[in-house]
Amino acid sequence: TATLNKSGLPFGAVLQPLAPARLPGEEAVPVVGFAGGGVVRCRRCRTYINPFVNWLDGGRRWKCNLCYLVNEVPAEYFGPIDEYGRRRDAHERPELSQGTVEFVASADY
């Protein structure tokens, strides 16, 4: 709160988790499930895999976009990257192509 007070900027948030689609033609939030290994997350800050991570080493590792830790990609989640450093299958994976997804957590969570 000290930083917020120091900045002098107003702060507010409106949250409505899993709100229904409101506009005609608006798509529902995609549901993503990970078989076997569970949800792919950063080892340090626990950020979920998302469209804004950086892919390294031909898709074998990824750098977290929040804490910048380089993480190994689980073997079952591996996918090659293109010449621009993006996953070739990103358009098939909502968690890599859309800003909002719902993750199905395994029993470990």
Side-chain angles (χ1 to χ4, degrees), residues 12-62:
V14 177
L15 304 175
Q16 190 174 1
L18 306 175
R22 288 183 242 154
L23 301 174
E26 190 174 46
E27 294 182 23
V29 174
V31 177
V32 177
F34 293 92
V39 180
V40 179
R41 298 177 74 182
C42 176
R43 289 187 329 267
R44 179 187 296 153
C45 71
R46 307 304 291 157
T47 295
Y48 291 88
I49 194 81
N50 64 75
F52 308 105
V53 303
N54 292 316
W55 297 97
L56 308 167
D57 297 333
R60 288 182 280 286
R61 300 187 312 150
W62 61 280

Side-chain angles (χ1 to χ4, degrees), residues 54-64 68-71 73 78 81 85:
N54 292 316
W55 297 97
L56 308 167
D57 297 333
R60 288 182 280 286
R61 300 187 312 150
W62 61 280
K63 186 193 300 185
C64 178
Y68 305 111
L69 179 71
V70 175
N71 296 274
V73 173
F78 172 78
I81 59 175

